[in-house]
Amino acid sequence: MPAVAGQFYPGTASGLSRTLLELTREEKERSPAIGVVAPHAGYVYSGAVAGALFSSIQVPGRAVIFCPNHTGIGEDAAIMSRGAWRMPWGDVPVDEELAARLETGCPLLREDASAHSREHAIEVQLPFLHRFRPDIRIVPVALGRLSLEECRELGENVADAIAGDADRPLLVASSDMSHYVPDAVARKKDRMAIDRMLALDPEGLYRIVRTERISMCGVVPATVVLFAARRLGATSARLIRYATSGDVSREFDQVVGYAGLAFR
């Protein structure tokens, strides 16, 4: 069941459809992507960044979505391999075949639906994916405190599990950037993390977030996706859009940063 429908995004199918039409655009040409980093705040703040990102890429029929575990409930690498996610327009099915393959190929993953029950960071990605692929199927993975080597292992195992697929799933890292710092500080620190992602440098991202104390909540999902994208042959990265909550609220003393990036 949805955790933040009617809060982070409109809770009715018609209202959500109108909002998505405002936040996205129909591009004549969209670029393929191996993976992306997308924000997960309320749409009034981060929706324009997420909309620009998903409008710019080709969205395949499947996505593996990695998010930080904000609630602290459940396993540190929690996959949900069966069932569906209920959204205002209907159900988004879990790709059970792909999930089973990932569980087999990724020893770190543990079956745990409880980690997803009150978590919002995957849920808010689904309307954007559905906007461009109404037939989207997902594999949700919530991540807690993983070491750099665990991020490497998981990312490379995921890559190996999907490398032979003719229609590879999109790898989505759900993450906001700096939290509740002055706007100038957020932009400076977030640029450090963004530069490491643009360099396709998961090790550098993981380390700089810690050494510079950047409050990027989804650094683990982003590191995992970067390791996977690099193993799958990614050679370039693009920052689609960056913003802070101050761009909307006009209050710059304490902001949250949002970035949309694509790896190909």
Side-chain angles (χ1 to χ4, degrees):
M1 298 300 293
V4 292
Q7 301 172 53
F8 280 44
Y9 59 86
T12 65
S14 59
L16 182 53
S17 179
R18 286 193 299 272
T19 296
L20 289 169
L21 287 174
E22 294 170 358
L23 295 174
T24 59
R25 60 187 185 276
E26 292 289 348
E27 295 283 358
K28 291 183 180 179
E29 293 187 10
R30 295 191 182 92
S31 301
I34 295 172
V36 299
V37 173
H40 56 233
Y43 286 7
V44 66
Y45 295 112
S46 68
V49 174
L53 170 68
F54 287 108
S55 295
S56 72
I57 65 166
Q58 295 173 9
V59 178
R62 301 177 299 163
V64 184
I65 313 176
F66 301 89
C67 78
N69 185 334
H70 291 93
T71 67
I73 298 170
E75 297 283 346
D76 276 336
I79 187 172
M80 180 176 168
S81 64
R82 293 177 295 279
W85 284 43
R86 182 143 294 171
M87 298 297 289
W89 65 83
D91 287 353
V92 176
V94 171
D95 189 318
E96 298 184 2
E97 182 276 329
L98 176 57
R101 237 188 316 139
L102 292 178
E103 281 189 297
T104 299
C106 305
L108 282 172
L109 293 178
R110 296 286 184 270
E111 181 71 31
D112 186 0
S114 70
H116 297 279
S117 61
R118 289 160 46 194
E119 177 58 59
H120 70 277
I122 289 176
E123 177 183 329
V124 297
Q125 309 295 344
L126 302 186
F128 289 101
L129 292 166
H130 180 265
R131 161 80 172 86
F132 295 107
R133 282 301 296 251
D135 60 341
I136 191 75
R137 290 171 291 146
I138 64 166
V139 178
V141 180
L143 299 175
R145 294 172 179 259
L146 299 188
S147 69
L148 178 59
E149 284 310 308
E150 287 172 326
C151 290
R152 183 195 306 273
E153 177 187 339
L154 180 56
E156 293 183 351
N157 286 345
V158 167
D160 292 344
I162 67 173
D165 290 9
D167 182 23
R168 283 185 192 161
L170 179 67
L171 304 179
V172 179
S174 181
S175 181
D176 293 338
M177 301 299 292
S178 287
H179 286 66
Y180 311 120
V181 296
D183 189 84
V185 174
R187 291 178 186 274
K188 180 181 178 181
K189 289 197 169 188
D190 288 350
R191 188 70 225 189
M192 296 177 189
I194 288 167
D195 283 347
R196 291 301 89 220
M197 290 189 278
L198 291 175
L200 299 174
D201 179 10
E203 298 96 339
L205 172 66
Y206 189 96
R207 289 175 179 138
I208 203 164
V209 165
R210 277 153 177 74
T211 58
E212 296 295 330
R213 300 182 180 233
I214 303 170
S215 49
M216 176 184 177
C217 57
V219 60
V220 167
T223 300
V224 168
V225 167
L226 275 168
F227 274 122
R230 200 166 68 178
R231 194 168 181 94
L232 289 167
T235 58
S236 66
R238 180 182 168 205
L239 176 63
I240 307 301
R241 185 175 292 187
Y242 175 84
T244 74
S245 57
D247 294 324
V248 174
S249 69
R250 311 312 297 171
E251 296 177 0
F252 299 104
D253 290 344
Q254 285 195 324
V255 304
V256 179
Y258 313 111
L261 297 100
F263 312 125
R264 357 176 222 205

